[in-house]
Amino acid sequence: MKKSIIISAIALSFSIGGAHATTEPLHLKNNRVEAYFKVNSFCVSIALGDYETVKKLIDRGANVNAKSHGMTPAMYAAKYNRVEILQLLIENGAKLKTKCDKGKTASEYAELHGAHDTKAVIEEHLESKKRKK
């Protein structure tokens, strides 16, 4: 009887632990396990602020409007306050009114993350487009 109770308890603990299993790769950051999302190298370069790499990738044909993990390159630039990169993206045809998979625009990402400089660049660009019409 004791064996069957112990075996049942062990089986129950494995089934509860398995309910939280994930197939996504995980990594450790600040002593916390976080899900690792695959973002293309173009958007990683933008997030890191690597202007030269971003410029080279654009020169080699990188799509400035292609989404990576649901966000456009302009959204990454806005979120991480990468003003020069955002301007480069705009010069190469980045669409600032596009919405991510969560329904947010680059401007909303800038506002959400306190990126006042990129928010100003976006507003200025959108305002100048209105005046030209």
Side-chain angles (χ1 to χ4, degrees):
M1 180 72 173
K2 284 185 180 181
K3 276 187 179 180
S4 63
I5 292 173
I6 292 172
I7 291 172
S8 296
I10 292 171
L12 181 62
S13 68
F14 280 118
S15 67
I16 291 172
H20 299 292
T22 179
T23 58
E24 291 183 28
L26 300 174
H27 70 283
L28 191 63
K29 183 177 180 183
N30 297 329
N31 294 323
R32 292 187 348 218
V33 175
E34 296 180 359
Y36 173 77
F37 299 105
K38 292 186 179 183
V39 177
N40 67 31
S41 59
F42 185 51
C43 291
V44 168
S45 297
I46 292 167
L48 294 173
D50 188 349
Y51 182 89
E52 292 305 317
T53 300
V54 173
K55 183 160 178 27
K56 285 178 188 176
L57 290 170
I58 290 172
D59 291 343
R60 292 182 180 163
N63 183 344
V64 296
N65 291 302
K67 289 183 179 180
S68 178
H69 197 61
M71 294 170 53
T72 65
M75 291 171 190
Y76 283 98
K79 177 179 178 177
Y80 293 102
N81 206 33
R82 308 297 186 200
V83 174
E84 289 180 344
I85 293 174
L86 180 60
Q87 289 170 331
L88 178 65
L89 293 169
I90 291 169
E91 290 167 9
N92 285 278
K95 297 176 184 173
L96 299 178
K97 291 185 179 182
T98 301
K99 293 189 177 195
C100 73
D101 293 353
K102 294 180 181 179
K104 293 182 179 7
T105 63
S107 179
E108 290 172 310
Y109 272 102
E111 188 173 333
L112 182 66
H113 293 277
H116 305 294
D117 299 332
T118 51
K119 173 90 171 149
V121 168
I122 293 167
E123 288 175 354
E124 182 181 315
H125 179 73
L126 293 175
E127 190 60 39
S128 71
K129 282 182 82 172
K130 279 184 186 177
R131 282 181 281 190
K132 289 179 182 179
K133 289 182 179 181

